[in-house]
């Protein structure tokens, strides 16, 4: 079975193009890849991390086929695939994992030892993550399919909700994992920095985990309105008011139990300077408003190099350190060498 | 009972003096402190953190009575003390905790909410930790004694081993906690940076936790010799050899599972430049040689401000962030506002 | 301050009486108890465990003042109480704990070593639990008040919701702890056996913990109706239908992830024999319908002696074993020598 | 490659025979099993569980080829095996697992959902565990080889120590897992019931985990002598002395922190009646001498049906319940339908 395929290709800073690309094969270089499947892509999403690449802020090579958020239909199975069949609708986790190495056995699929010759960990369509072809395409190959894929139990039901289910490949688990790692549970008060897709997924995850109060901060009033629609409190960060002063009328306290940064390194100052980029601003804000003994999680890349001095407040930071950057507590993590 | 007392007093950068100081009372300011005891100090130790203060690298006020590593004999009990008696020999944890607040109930005694009006967490004789009188003295008061003190079950036995037991107030648990937090367990390979008292305590703790191989690095040959005496492998960091190259003949691998920094912010480069202070050098080395999925713990203060770029290696850092500094995973932690 | 007091007194199998009893004092036998407070009881509840005693199924001595679910107002503080004041409204956990022993420091307040000379663990008004005077009274003494009491932050707000807040002393945390211990989390399917107060508290706790589907079984249609009102599915156990057959139309599966027994040892068979008491029936049912790898928790006493053979199904049981009985995963546990 | 093969075959109660059996094939019924390997068996062991079968105390069918403790050399790899090669020396865990199902992904390989049509969980050569051919043979097939097998890094070194390494397939991890699950750690006091191979493996594991004192009980003086050789204390259970009385001179206390039952359901009374079988005796003894808050683990099968009344002592039991039996905390567990 060989046919046409098209995909989103990175063409250099600021440029992408939809181009013809090869139809995927069940192979890894010259080796057959009998544990893989070929998917017809049903839905895909554009990640904030894609934007870092497209904006030229990484070392992504021209020609990289983008896309690590994939939902699709199995159209071909390798011989070693036992628990999937042609016609299954599946969600693809953005991390690629073998399911057989020490890290995978410990649940650390984000740093699988067998899918990237350069370093532990791989992803589809991503700079320095093993060179795998991405899924902003018509067709894509997924290796170790029995281990990697999440099969939806009912085809018809899943197609009815496919717009929601597409969030399962990255956006929702990233937000959920942030809250989980930040210790959110019944009765928690939580601050979510950023009301983009991952921030809103974190906010709804905090509710699912039983949080008593979820507070979302952003500078975009439409995003904040969206957060309020499902029961969050919001902080409009275009104001100059110190964050603790904004928290107090909501919580009766000036601190939260947990904070999740869903903004990342292209962060801007809050208040009247908010047009100015300042990578450390969210990290500092989260430390400032999280109680001693609470937990902070950074879901996105944050540069240590450009970090402003940390504030005078103790707190625990859970962060993988990757290549000159601190941050990134995705599901489980993408270590990326961003310059 | 009132009598003389003498203690070690900080007199400004580079200067300490043994001076007459008041005999301790069972009071907190004007309030009686009936949950406290007065100890006759049997042993005490000088901590590396004391040295930071004495060297003038902190904001410690002149007149501070130093000493947070205390072993003593109970000579007076407040009325609320139920489970201690005059004559008991006790070890005093360096953190002061009430045993009644939310953080203490969760085992986070290092950030007790009731013992320091300025911020969570307190310690004896320590800058910014609540102003408590230290224990490099003849007599010292310990509040919340039932909760804080570790009573040795047999007076005579404990006096025979008092030189060992004095390590229980800070040195040993700090080293142990570092290894525990770094995930050391049966079969682990571990790197301990620094062969001072805490580093050696960490090394022996790694053995107690079942580590397969414990490797200690330092620039001081006598300290390394001490580590070898109880079965550690050692790295002499005066050499220019890259650390991974030194690990390989020992382990057959270029990485360890866990690394513990027992050096801190007065770190020096390794190799021929080792006389030069470079705060980030140990952090960077630990990240460089710890496997993906392994864990690093920093037992001592490390400055973020002066940190060199991090190396191109993923890894998890568990660190409380305190006042512009990253670091310090003591038992549980001392958040200190060091400039 | 000495005045009248009245309380519910156990007078032998099937008999209780409200009688005059002594006004509580801040003492433990002949010793002053300066860490205690005296409460004016605002609300109290009758526990299923009280019923075991009143029905004569335990060795409770005549004269025992009952009641371990207490919410009250502080009317007198011992001199060593630091963090409570007269006028505070507080919830009293049913377990009495010193906050100073090894078990309390590890969060095992249900088996405190210092509050019951006969064995670890104590409770108010309870057979074999240390002989403490219960709180189905006008006034009651609470020792180690700083450690034991949960102070409501706002007096007025708490009085408005006092009917809800009374559940915090036992009913709600028992149900919550059952679900928590049974591993209930986001996406779980959960079976709650018994729709009494603790069963319904467990059901709402499962929802709070993020369960996808909470199924409650009972033989009382009014209780089941109550469960449906807040979104639970229900099984009417007066039917003879096998439970797995009842689960399948609800879940699409014949098993749940977690099961919580909120019935206990006075359990009756389900189906047409349901009038007959059969202690093991709930244990067996829970094992029958919980998936391999799922978890069961028994919140109440279950007799091993009278247990029927277990079914042919693997599963994990988390249970404290107390005195010839298996069961009881309260908050944390009441080990009781019931005959 | 097809050739002769011989194995130990169960021939009915009390009878086994070494017989010719088919040479293993890379197939599962009619399906090819390309993820499997064929091993030439180097070492194997006889388990206490084999003895239950051979003594006729289970429903094992005649003709069952026994043996679940296998160490071997890879002589043939299925085409989908990626990380093993012909000539590798490997240890085979006794549980068979697919590495792809929900339970395997959670580390619950003992209840894999894909290797036994009758129930979760499978093992080689074992009653009711999926009908897999055992490894007390010359050659045996191992499915899902990349996931299941532990490859020794150096062929020559492993052959030198093969008598030790054979313990890795069941004996050592079973003992280790028992101690780990019982919460053994630095400073623990531990009682190990039974000084057979698993009991001694548990004892040495307790030492590896940092236990302060490991006490082993048995009625066989040679076994106890073996335990003393590597630093254990011992209890000779042929004596009538109550166990707490025997513990006190060793520990200064009448209780231990953790207890591990390495005896199982063919247990005998201790003291002068020790020739008499009494299945509950070890369970009762462990509960009797473990402190409140401590933990007990039962490594072997224990019958509930024949259990004597439990003693009047609280304690936590962690046990999978399998088919009318309580017990068995192996690595992770073998649920077996023993009658």
């Amino acid at each position: 079975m060989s046919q046409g395929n098209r995909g989103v290709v990175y063409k250099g800073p600021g440029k992408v193009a939809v181009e013809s690309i090869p139809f995927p094969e069940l192979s890894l270089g010259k080796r057959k890849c009998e544990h893989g499947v070929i998917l017809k892509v049903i839905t895909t999403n554009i990640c904030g991390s894609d934007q870092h690449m497209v904006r030229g802020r990484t070392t992504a090579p021209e020609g990289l086929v983008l896309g690590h958020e994939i939902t699709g239909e199995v159209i071909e199975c390798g011989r070693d695939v036992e628990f999937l069949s042609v016609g299954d609708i599946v969600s693809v986790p953005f991390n690629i994992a073998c399911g057989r190495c020490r890290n995978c056995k410990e649940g650390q699929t984000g740093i699988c030892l067998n899918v990237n010759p350069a370093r532990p960990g791989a992803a589809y369509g991503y700079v320095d993550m093993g060179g795998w072809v991405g899924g902003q395409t018509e067709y894509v190959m997924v290796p170790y399919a029995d281990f990697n894929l999440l099969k939806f139990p009912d085809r018809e039901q899943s197609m009815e909700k496919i717009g929601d289910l597409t969030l399962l490949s990255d956006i929702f688990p990233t937000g959920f994992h942030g809250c989980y790692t930040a210790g959110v549970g019944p009765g928690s008060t939580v601050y979510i920095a950023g009301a983009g897709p991952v921030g809103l997924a974190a906010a709804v995850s905090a509710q699912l985990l039983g949080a008593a109060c979820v507070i979302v901060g952003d500078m975009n009033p439409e995003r904040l309105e969206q957060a309020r629609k499902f029961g969050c409190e919001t902080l409009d960060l275009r104001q100059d008011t110190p964050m603790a002063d904004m928290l107090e009328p909501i919580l009766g306290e000036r601190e939260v139990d947990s904070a999740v940064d869903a903004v990342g390194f292209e962060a801007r100052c809050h208040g009247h300077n908010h047009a100015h980029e300042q990578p450390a601003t969210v990290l500092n804000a989260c430390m400032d408003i999280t109680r001693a003994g609470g937990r902070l999680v950074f879901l996105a890349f944050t540069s240590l190099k450009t970090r402003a001095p940390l504030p005078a407040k103790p707190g625990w930071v859970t962060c993988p350190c990757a290549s000159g950057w601190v941050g990134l507590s995705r599901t489980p993590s993408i270590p990326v060498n961003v310059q």
Side-chain angles (χ1 to χ4, degrees), chain A residues 183-189 206-213 257:
Chain A
V184 176
S188 294
T189 57
Q207 293 176 336
L208 183 62
L209 287 159
C213 187
D257 295 318

Side-chain angles (χ1 to χ4, degrees), chain A residues 244-323:
Chain A
D245 290 351
M246 292 194 266
L247 292 179
E248 195 161 21
I250 298 171
L251 294 175
E253 295 185 347
R254 300 172 65 75
E255 293 179 320
V256 292
D257 295 318
S258 300
V260 175
D261 169 3
V263 173
F265 82 99
E266 298 191 31
R268 291 173 292 155
C269 295
H270 94 256
H272 66 278
N273 282 322
H274 67 266
H276 178 61
E277 189 169 306
Q278 192 188 38
T281 195
V282 176
L283 170 62
N284 284 343
C286 287
M287 279 202 268
D288 196 37
I289 61 164
T290 303
R291 70 174 176 85
R295 257 193 278 171
L296 324 174
V297 166
F298 303 94
L299 288 175
F301 305 105
T302 306
S303 167
L304 254 194
K305 287 185 216 167
T306 55
R307 171 133 32 259
L310 300 177
K313 199 61 186 312
W316 286 88
V317 180
T318 297
C319 52
C321 281
S323 311

Side-chain angles (χ1 to χ4, degrees), chain A residues 42 50 113 126 153 157 190 193 218 228-229 263 274 278 287 289 295 325 330:
Chain A
I42 299 173
D50 293 329
L113 300 172
Y126 213 93
Q157 278 188 324
V190 187
D218 204 304
R228 278 190 295 273
K229 275 190 188 153
V263 173
H274 67 266
Q278 192 188 38
M287 279 202 268
I289 61 164
R295 257 193 278 171
W325 297 71
R330 300 182 76 135

Side-chain angles (χ1 to χ4, degrees), chain A residues 57-138:
Chain A
R57 302 191 68 156
T58 75
T59 57
E62 296 186 19
L64 183 68
V65 178
L66 298 173
H68 58 271
E69 308 194 13
I70 309 170
T71 306
E73 176 179 350
V74 176
I75 61 166
E76 186 183 347
C77 286
R79 186 187 54 219
D80 187 33
V81 174
E82 289 199 313
F83 305 111
L84 293 163
S85 307
V86 169
D88 286 345
I89 311 293
V90 295
S91 179
V92 187
F94 66 91
N95 283 128
I96 301 170
C98 73
R100 308 173 184 197
C101 70
R102 170 182 187 171
N103 285 346
C104 283
K105 284 182 179 171
E106 294 177 350
Q108 300 268 33
T109 51
I111 44 173
C112 173
L113 300 172
N114 288 324
V115 287
N116 182 352
R119 63 174 57 80
Y124 305 91
Y126 213 93
V127 56
D128 282 327
M129 294 296 277
W132 296 84
V133 177
Q136 291 172 3
T137 56
E138 292 179 303

Side-chain angles (χ1 to χ4, degrees), chain A residues 3-9 19-23 65 133-134 137-139:
Chain A
Q3 49 193 100
N5 192 12
R6 289 175 69 74
V8 176
V9 181
E19 299 189 342
S20 287
I21 60 170
F23 192 82
V65 178
V133 177
T137 56
E138 292 179 303
Y139 300 95

